Amino acid sequence: MKRFLPDEHATARLAQQLWQVLPDELSGWILLLRGDLGAGKSTFARALIAAAGHEGAVPSPTYTLVEPYRVSNKSIYHVDLYRVSDEEELEYLGWSDLDDGFCIIEWPERAPGLLQQADLELRLAYKDSGRLVELSGLSGRGADVANAIEDSDSES
């Protein structure tokens, strides 16, 4: 699925649309967010966490590395790997403790092994004053979600 996002509101609408097609059981799901610095990864993550029902601030996990949220009996982990220099550091962060929830991961290229574990990948790139976004399913269940969004686009 590819789409042009002219502004932050369009980014929030896509996040809401994604949240609506995700299954109720999200344990072990991983969404990778890729893009250059300032491309909108954190904006998308914040909008997705808000779409899940979180009220209040959604701070960037750049320095904490992981920001946990509990929304509607679901665990959501916003992870920023920008400051991670080695994939082995993930275990020191308690990575294995995050498999009970939905992980939204910025800068996943810092831990290349995540690609094999991930369900969805969202790539953001600058285009004019907006962003070009591409959502891909990396697992069977991730492909189902990406297809559901594409199908809803064709119905609009």
Side-chain angles (χ1 to χ4, degrees):
M1 184 276 312
K2 290 183 182 179
R3 185 184 297 177
F4 177 70
L5 304 173
D7 54 31
E8 196 170 316
H9 296 293
T11 302
R13 282 192 302 276
L14 177 60
Q16 290 168 351
Q17 189 179 13
L18 176 59
W19 187 258
Q20 290 172 353
V21 298
L22 284 168
D24 287 336
E25 177 53 50
L26 287 171
S27 295
W29 275 76
I30 297 176
L31 166 64
L32 306 179
L33 300 179
R34 295 184 186 263
D36 290 337
L37 195 62
K41 296 178 299 295
S42 292
T43 299
F44 185 85
R46 285 184 185 103
L48 188 59
I49 292 164
H54 176 74
E55 296 177 5
V58 178
S60 172
T62 300
Y63 294 102
T64 59
L65 302 180
V66 178
E67 286 289 335
Y69 299 89
R70 188 79 180 156
V71 183
S72 301
N73 294 324
K74 292 178 176 62
S75 293
I76 300 172
Y77 302 103
H78 184 190
V79 181
D80 187 328
L81 300 180
Y82 186 75
R83 296 180 45 198
V84 171
S85 59
D86 188 305
E87 196 163 352
E88 291 179 12
E89 288 180 60
L90 292 179
E91 274 313 309
Y92 296 112
L93 297 173
W95 181 256
S96 58
D97 296 335
L98 306 182
D99 63 357
D100 68 326
F102 178 61
C103 291
I104 303 165
I105 303 173
E106 297 185 45
W107 300 101
E109 56 274 11
R110 304 284 187 172
L114 289 177
L115 190 61
Q116 293 81 19
Q117 301 172 41
D119 297 289
L120 293 163
E121 178 181 62
L122 188 111
R123 290 182 178 265
L124 292 149
Y126 291 100
K127 181 169 171 72
D128 303 322
S129 62
R131 304 292 185 269
L132 187 61
V133 65
E134 183 175 356
L135 179 69
S136 304
L138 302 176
S139 68
R141 62 188 185 178
D144 290 344
V145 166
N147 290 337
I149 289 181
E150 197 160 18
D151 291 346
S152 68
D153 280 352
S154 63
E155 292 170 7
S156 301

